[in-house]
Protein backbone atom coordinates (compact mmCIF):
# COMPACT_ATOMS: atom_id res chain seq x y z
CA UNK A 1 0.00 0.00 0.00
CA UNK A 2 1.48 3.30 -1.07
CA UNK A 3 0.62 6.51 0.70
CA UNK A 4 1.75 10.10 0.52
CA UNK A 5 4.51 11.45 2.68
CA UNK A 6 3.40 12.98 5.98
CA UNK A 7 5.35 15.84 7.56
CA UNK A 8 5.44 16.47 11.32
CA UNK A 9 7.44 18.74 13.61
CA UNK A 10 8.30 17.18 16.95
CA UNK A 11 10.38 18.46 19.83
CA UNK A 12 13.30 16.86 21.64
CA UNK A 13 14.56 17.89 25.07
CA UNK A 14 17.38 17.19 27.49
CA UNK A 15 16.98 16.99 31.25
CA UNK A 16 18.63 20.45 31.30
CA UNK A 17 15.68 21.87 29.35
CA UNK A 18 17.52 22.30 26.04
CA UNK A 19 14.84 21.91 23.37
CA UNK A 20 15.29 21.44 19.67
CA UNK A 21 12.95 20.78 16.78
CA UNK A 22 12.98 17.44 14.99
CA UNK A 23 11.45 17.15 11.53
CA UNK A 24 9.75 13.90 10.61
CA UNK A 25 8.77 12.91 7.09
CA UNK A 26 7.31 9.45 6.77
CA UNK A 27 5.37 7.20 4.47
CA UNK A 28 3.31 4.34 5.85
CA UNK A 29 3.53 1.10 3.93
CA UNK A 30 5.56 -2.08 3.90
CA UNK A 31 8.15 -1.05 4.88
CA UNK A 32 7.56 2.26 6.62
CA UNK A 33 9.99 4.90 5.41
CA UNK A 34 11.03 7.74 7.72
CA UNK A 35 13.41 10.66 7.40
CA UNK A 36 14.16 12.48 10.65
CA UNK A 37 16.44 15.45 11.10
CA UNK A 38 17.53 17.71 13.94
CA UNK A 39 20.77 19.38 15.02
CA UNK A 40 21.61 16.63 17.55
CA UNK A 41 20.85 13.59 15.36
CA UNK A 42 21.62 15.00 11.92
CA UNK A 43 19.62 13.40 9.12
CA UNK A 44 18.45 9.80 9.52
CA UNK A 45 16.86 7.79 6.72
CA UNK A 46 15.11 4.73 8.14
CA UNK A 47 13.24 1.82 6.65
CA UNK A 48 11.41 -0.28 9.25
CA UNK A 49 8.58 -2.76 9.69
CA UNK A 50 6.40 -0.10 11.36
CA UNK A 51 6.42 3.50 12.53
CA UNK A 52 7.08 2.55 16.17
CA UNK A 53 10.25 0.67 15.19
CA UNK A 54 11.40 3.64 13.07
CA UNK A 55 10.59 6.03 15.92
CA UNK A 56 12.70 3.97 18.31
CA UNK A 57 15.69 4.25 15.98
CA UNK A 58 15.32 8.05 16.06
CA UNK A 59 14.94 7.96 19.84
CA UNK A 60 18.12 5.90 20.26
CA UNK A 61 20.05 8.40 18.13
CA UNK A 62 18.72 11.24 20.31
CA UNK A 63 19.58 9.39 23.52
CA UNK A 64 23.25 9.33 22.48
CA UNK A 65 23.17 13.12 22.84
CA UNK A 66 20.97 13.11 25.99
CA UNK A 67 17.80 14.09 24.07
CA UNK A 68 14.40 12.48 24.57
CA UNK A 69 11.72 12.79 21.91
CA UNK A 70 8.58 14.48 23.24
CA UNK A 71 5.76 12.37 21.79
CA UNK A 72 3.28 9.70 22.88
CA UNK A 73 5.41 6.97 21.33
CA UNK A 74 8.18 7.80 23.83
CA UNK A 75 5.98 7.93 26.93
CA UNK A 76 6.95 5.69 29.83
CA UNK A 77 3.35 4.42 30.00
CA UNK A 78 2.79 3.68 26.30
CA UNK A 79 3.38 0.79 23.94
CA UNK A 80 1.62 -0.30 20.75
CA UNK A 81 -0.09 -3.68 20.56
CA UNK A 82 0.98 -6.26 17.99
CA UNK A 83 -2.32 -5.70 16.17
CA UNK A 84 -1.78 -1.93 16.07
CA UNK A 85 1.69 -2.49 14.69
CA UNK A 86 0.46 -4.90 12.02
CA UNK A 87 -2.83 -3.27 11.02
CA UNK A 88 -2.05 0.42 11.54
CA UNK A 89 1.68 0.43 10.73
CA UNK A 90 2.45 1.18 14.40
CA UNK A 91 1.06 4.72 14.06
CA UNK A 92 -0.95 4.44 17.30
CA UNK A 93 0.03 3.39 20.79
CA UNK A 94 -1.80 2.44 23.96
CA UNK A 95 -1.45 4.44 27.17
CA UNK A 96 -1.49 1.74 29.84
CA UNK A 97 -2.21 1.59 33.55
CA UNK A 98 -0.72 -1.12 35.75
CA UNK A 99 -3.16 -3.91 36.51
CA UNK A 100 -5.69 -2.74 33.90
CA UNK A 101 -6.12 -4.17 30.40
CA UNK A 102 -5.78 -1.57 27.63
CA UNK A 103 -8.98 -0.57 25.84
CA UNK A 104 -9.64 1.05 22.51
CA UNK A 105 -10.18 4.38 24.33
CA UNK A 106 -6.54 4.16 25.45
CA UNK A 107 -5.22 4.44 21.84
CA UNK A 108 -3.44 7.69 20.94
CA UNK A 109 -1.47 8.93 17.95
CA UNK A 110 2.16 7.83 18.26
CA UNK A 111 3.57 11.22 17.23
CA UNK A 112 1.26 13.55 19.16
CA UNK A 113 3.10 15.70 21.73
CA UNK A 114 4.01 14.59 25.24
CA UNK A 115 5.83 16.41 28.03
CA UNK A 116 9.37 15.73 29.22
CA UNK A 117 8.11 14.26 32.51
CA UNK A 118 6.00 11.72 30.54
CA UNK A 119 8.77 10.36 28.28
CA UNK A 120 11.64 8.00 28.89
CA UNK A 121 14.36 6.02 27.13
CA UNK A 122 13.65 3.15 24.74
CA UNK A 123 15.00 0.61 27.27
CA UNK A 124 12.99 1.99 30.19
CA UNK A 125 9.80 2.08 28.10
CA UNK A 126 10.24 -1.60 27.19
CA UNK A 127 10.85 -2.48 30.86
CA UNK A 128 7.69 -0.59 31.87
CA UNK A 129 5.71 -2.43 29.20
CA UNK A 130 7.00 -5.80 30.45
CA UNK A 131 6.15 -4.79 34.04
CA UNK A 132 2.65 -3.80 32.89
CA UNK A 133 2.18 -7.19 31.20
CA UNK A 134 3.28 -8.88 34.43
CA UNK A 135 0.78 -6.75 36.37
CA UNK A 136 -1.95 -8.33 34.22
CA UNK A 137 -0.78 -11.84 35.06
CA UNK A 138 0.79 -12.53 31.64
Amino acid sequence: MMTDWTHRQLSMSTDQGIIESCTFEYKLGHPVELIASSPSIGRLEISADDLFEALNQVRLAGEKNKFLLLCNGARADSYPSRMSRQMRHGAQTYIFKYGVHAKRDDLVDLLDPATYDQVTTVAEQKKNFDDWLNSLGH
Side-chain angles (χ1 to χ4, degrees), residues 3 9 12 18 20 24 27 52 61 85 92 95 100 102 113 119:
T3 61
Q9 281 299 127
M12 302 173 75
I18 299 169
E20 68 180 40
F24 271 56
K27 182 166 62 168
F52 182 69
R85 294 180 80 171
Q92 292 186 313
I95 304 300
V100 179
V119 300

Side-chain angles (χ1 to χ4, degrees), residues 67-121:
F67 278 90
L68 296 180
L69 201 56
L70 303 179
C71 67
N72 284 333
R75 284 179 56 158
D77 62 348
S78 78
Y79 214 84
S81 68
R82 277 183 292 202
M83 186 175 8
S84 173
R85 294 180 80 171
Q86 293 168 351
M87 304 296 287
R88 299 178 187 193
H89 305 285
Q92 292 186 313
T93 188
Y94 283 94
I95 304 300
F96 59 79
K97 298 174 188 77
Y98 288 98
V100 179
H101 286 273
K103 302 178 300 289
R104 187 177 198 156
D105 290 345
D106 300 322
L107 270 175
V108 295
D109 186 322
L110 191 76
L111 299 179
D112 278 354
T115 62
Y116 188 82
D117 63 328
Q118 293 175 312
V119 300
T120 192
T121 64

Side-chain angles (χ1 to χ4, degrees), residues 57-70:
Q57 291 182 44
V58 175
R59 292 173 62 200
L60 289 169
E63 287 176 25
K64 289 179 185 175
N65 294 307
K66 308 292 188 217
F67 278 90
L68 296 180
L69 201 56
L70 303 179

Side-chain angles (χ1 to χ4, degrees), residues 3 11-12 28 37-38 40 44 56 75 81 94 118 129:
T3 61
S11 294
M12 302 173 75
L28 299 178
S37 58
S38 80
S40 69
L44 300 175
N56 282 347
R75 284 179 56 158
S81 68
Y94 283 94
Q118 293 175 312
F129 175 68

